Amino acid sequence: MADHRNGSAQAANGKASAAGTAYSIDLNAFQTRMKTFYSHWDEHKTDLWGSCDAIAVACPPPSEDLRYLKSTALNLWLLGFEFPETIMVFTKKQVHILCSQKKASILESVKKPAKEAVGAEIVLHVKPKNDDGTTLMDSIFHAIRTQSKADGGDVPTVGYISREAAEGKLLETWAEKLKSSKFNLTDVANGLSMLFAAKNNEELTSIKRAAYLTTSVMKNFVVSKLENVIDEEKKVSHSTLMEETEKVILEPSKANCKLKAENVDICYPPIFQSGGEFDLRPSAVSNDDLLYYDSASVIICAVGARYKSYCSNIARTFLIDAISLQSKAYEVLLKAHEAVIGSFKPGNKLSSAYQAAVSVVEKEAPDLLPFLTKSAGTGIGIEFRESSLNLNAKNEQIVKEGMVFNVSLGFQNLKSENSKSKNKVFSLLLADTVIINKDKTEVVTSMSSKALKDVAYSFNEDEEEEEKPSAKSDANGAEHLMSKTTLRSDNHEVSKEELRRQHQAELARQKNEETARRLAGGGNGAGDNRSSVKNSSELVAYKNINDLPPPREMMIQIDQKNEAVLLPINGSMVPFHVAFIRTINSQQDTNRKCIIRIIFNVPGTAFNPHDSNSMKFQGSIYLKEASFRSKDPRHSSEVVQSIKTLRRQVVARESERAERATLVTQEKLQLANNKFKPIRLSDLWIRPVFGGRGRKLPGTLEGHANGFRYSTTRQDERVDIMFANIKHAFFQPAENEMITLLHFHLHNHIMVGNKKTKDVQFYVEVMDMVQNIGGGKRSAYDPDELEEEQRERDRKNKINVEFQTFVNRVNDLWGQPQFNGLDLEFDQPLRELGFPGVPHKSSVFIVPTSACLVELIEIPFLVVTLSEIEIVNLERVGLGQKNFDMTIVFKDFKRDVLRIDSIPSTSLDGIKEWLDTTDIKYYESRLNLNWRQILKTITDDPQSFIEGGGWEFLNLEATDSESDNSEESDKGYEPSDVEPESDSEDEDSDSESLVESDDDDEEDEDSEVDSEEEKGKTWEELEREASNADREKGNEYDSDEDRQRRKAKAFGKSRAGASSSMPKRSKLR
C-alpha cells in the first residue's frame, strides 16, 4: 500500500486500523459513502453507469509522477487511502478485492460496515507474493457470471475505466483477461465523475483548508517574493521560483498557515511565466528562463495545493508598468471572470457559465473574443480536473449544491505593437476556487485580491527623471576624469531639485485649474467658519399654574423634580427654569447680611444672541437680574450651591442631548454567528475614556459581520463602530513609543460614553510607565536589569504580533466582495518620514501614512486626509531660522486651516520631498499669513482670485529674485568702516559670529590681507589680555569683599613698585 500523506497514525473513534500498521480507515465515512455510491449507481444506472452489472476498478502501482486517476480517486474517496496494485469489483451483493496480504489485513475492518450499509459482502482475494493472480481473477469472473445469472441476465455488463492504461504485471494480466472474458464492457468514467461532483460538509471543509493554504502562499510568499525580486532587480529563473514556492506549500508555517504538513501536498508544480512565452493550460511548466519584469511586462503565477487529497487552485496575473491595452484587457477579463462566478446557481447549465464570460467580452471588447480561452475551468475535488464538469459552451450538465469549480479564464497570446520584443505577445489568466452553496456562491480564494490596483505595479515612475542628456566630452577625454563625488553633487542633486521644481510648477497649474472649476461651480461658498447657533428646545418648568408647589415661606425655593427655582417677587412665588439662570453668587455686606445675586439669560446680550424665544415674544420685557437679602449666611450658601448643582446637571444633560441629536443614525451591528466567529483582541484600553466614577477597566474589541464592538465587564461601557462609518483605520506598533494601538477615524461622530468623537483608539501599554527613583544608578551589566529589558522586549514583540494577527484577519474580512465599496485597509505610519511639530499645544512626532498625516499618541489626535488638502504653505522659511511652520489649507474653504508650528529646519527637505511625492502643491514664505482673511477674500470674490493667477500670489520666488537683482546684486560687497552706534549692534554681530559655518571661515582665510593693521591681534595676544583682565577684575562670582581685597593688594603692589625707585626714609620711632 502506498504511504500516502493522508494516513492517520492512530485509530480514533469510528476508525479501524490493522495490527502493526499505522493506517486506519474511517468506518463511519466508509459506510456513508458506500450508501452514496450504491444509491447513485441505482439511480443513474442507465445514463451514467452504462447499465453495468458490475464495476471493476484497478488501481495501478505507485508512481513518482504527479497524476490524477479515477481509480485512485475512488480509493481515496471511499477508504481514505490509495491502495496500489489492488483490483476492486463491485456487484450488488458482493465486493471482490484482489490485493496483497498486508492490504487485506487493513481491509478486514470494512467487512461489517459494508454489510450493514448496502448488504454487500466483502470478499478478499489474497494474492501470494510470487503468484500472477490468474486463478483469483478467474474466481472473480465466475462470481460475476453467477450473480448475473441469479439476476436473470445472460451476458453480464462490466463497467471499467477505459482511459486508464494498465500498468504493472498484475494489472496487465487483469486487462487481458477482462477483454477476453466475453463480458459486455462499458466505460464508467462519467459515472465516477458525477459521483464525486457534489461534496459533503467534510469534503468542503478540506477544500476550504486547501484554499486557505493556496491563498496564503500566493499572498504571503509569492507576491512579496516577486515584489522583492523586481524592486532589487534580482535575476531569478521561473524554475527557481517554482521550487521555492513548492517548499513553502509543503511547509505551511512558512506562509503563516497553521496546517499540519503531513496533511498537505501540491496539486501541480507552481507555474511562473513571463517574457512573452505563455501557456494557459493546467499542464504548463515553469521553464528555466529568467523572470522578465521590464516595463509593460506580464507575469502569470498559478499555485495549487491539496489538503487531505482535496485540491484548490488560484492564478493571478501581475502587470508591470502596464500599457493601456494590458490594463483594458485585464479589466475586461476581470469582469468576465466575475460574470462566470455570478452565473453559478443550482439548476443552471454549466454552458451558461462560459456564455456569461463570452457576453461580457462581446460587450466590452469584441476584438478580444478570439483570444478568450475555450473553457472557463472545470470541476475540482480529489481530482484536479473533473472531466465531466468542464465549463465550456457545450456542457449541458446541471449545477448542483455542493459542487466545487476551478474557475480559470484567460486571454491567450494578445499582441501589442508598441512594446519591446519580449512584450509584444502577452497573456492574462485568472483562476479561483468556487463552492456552490444553496443560497450563494463562495469564492474561497478571495483573500488574494485580483483588483487591478492590487496587481498592477509601477516600478519605473522615476525612469524619465533618471534619464539625463549625456555630456559632450572633450576629444582628449578629460571629462571622464571627474570623480564620482563631483558627478553626484553637480548633476544628480541639482537635477533632482530642478525636477522637483518642474513637478511643483505642473502641480500649481493643475491645482489652479481644479480650484477655478470648484469655485465656478459654487462648491464652496463664503463662510465665516463659525457654527450656526442651535435652537434649543423650549424649556418649561410648569405647564399649568396648578402644578406649582404650595407656598411655604417667602424665601427662595428649589424644585428639584421640575428643575425650577421659585423666587419671591412682590409677595408671590415666581418660577424660573434653572436653565435660564446664567450665574448666581452670594456675598456679605457691611451689616453682615448676605446678598444673593441672580443674573438671567436674556436675548440680545453679548453672550446670548437672539433665539427663537425673542422672535416668538417680540416686545416682551425680560428680567435681567434679581437680588435678595438674607440674614442667614448658611442658608444663603446652601441655596446658591443647590442652584449651581442643579443647573450644572441640566446643562450637562441638555448638552449631551444636543450632541446626540446631531449624530447620524448608524446601522445596527450584526453579531457573528456560529458560521463566522468574531475576530477578537482582548485587554485593550480605549480613548476617549468612558465617563463616570470608579476604576477604569480594560475591554475586548470584537470584529463582527458589519462592524466592531468594544465592551468591558460593565454593562453601560460599550461602543459599536460600523465598517461603513470608518474613514481611515491605522495600526501603529510600538517602536519608540510605550503603546501599540489601533485607531479609527470616522466619517460621522459617535458617542463614547457621553463624549462626541470622530476618533476612537484602542491600545495596550507594552511597558510599565514607571520609573525607579529609589537607589543609585544601576550597572548596564546588571543581570536583573538585562533580564528585565529582555522581558520588556518579549512583551512588546508578543503584543505587536497579536495586533498584527488581528489586523491581518480584519484586512482579509474587508477584502471580501461585500466590502469592496468601502475601500478599507489598515494603514501603518511611515516612521522614517516623520517629523516633530506643534499642531495643538505640545510638541509631538507627526508621521505620514499612505493616505493621511497623523499623530496618534498624544491627545488631541491629529488625522489629516491628504486628498482633502488644497495646498501647503511652509512659513517662516529662511536662512538662519531654526524652525519653520507648516500651514495646511483644505479644499473646503469654510474649514479653518491647520497650523503645525515649530518644525525643525532640518526636516524641511524631507517634508518637501514627501509633499512632492504625494502630488501636493507647496509654497514657501518668510512670514506667517492671515489665512482667515485670505480665505474670506477668495470666497467673497472668486473671479478675481482666478484671474489673478490663483495660488500663484504665494509664489514669492519671482518677486524676490527681481528685487534681489535690482537692489543687491549690483552692489557687491561693501566693507563698512562706520563704527556701531550702540552696544546692541555689537551684541548682534557677536551672536552672528557664533553661527558662522566652516565655509565662511575658509572664505575669510582666502581673503586675508597681509597688512598688519587689517590682521588685528593674534589669539595669544587676546588670551593674554583676557587673563590680565581676569586678574584685575576677579571672578564675577566672587563677593564684593574678595574683589576689594584683591584691588587693595594690587594697589599696594603698584605703590610698592613705584616707590622702590625713591630713596628710603628712616623709620619713625
Side-chain angles (χ1 to χ4, degrees), residues 84 97 149 267 342 351 486 530 672-673 679 699 807 810 912 1023:
I97 302 176
K149 288 180 181 180
C267 289
S351 57
T486 306
R530 284 179 286 180
N673 50 30
I679 307 170
V807 166
V810 173
K912 285 182 181 179
E1023 189 173 1

Side-chain angles (χ1 to χ4, degrees), residues 636-647:
S636 300
S637 62
E638 289 177 356
V639 168
V640 172
Q641 192 62 36
S642 299
I643 293 176
K644 285 184 176 180
T645 302
L646 179 60
R647 181 181 177 280

Side-chain angles (χ1 to χ4, degrees), residues 998-1015:
D998 296 335
D999 297 334
D1000 295 333
D1001 294 339
E1002 293 173 6
E1003 291 176 2
D1004 292 340
E1005 290 175 7
D1006 295 337
S1007 61
E1008 279 184 343
V1009 185
D1010 292 336
S1011 64
E1012 198 68 23
E1013 291 79 13
E1014 291 180 353
K1015 280 188 177 179

Side-chain angles (χ1 to χ4, degrees), residues 21 28 113 121 198-199 203 333 449 484 508 545 593 638 698 1035:
T21 67
N28 293 330
E121 178 186 359
K199 281 77 174 174
E203 294 175 285
L333 178 63
S449 175
K484 291 183 179 180
I545 194 171
K593 293 182 179 180
E638 289 177 356
N1035 195 314

Side-chain angles (χ1 to χ4, degrees), residues 50 52 156-160 175 178-187:
C52 61
T157 301
V158 177
Y160 76 115
L178 186 62
K179 289 179 180 179
S180 61
S181 62
K182 298 181 180 180
F183 293 147
N184 294 327
L185 301 180
T186 182
D187 187 18

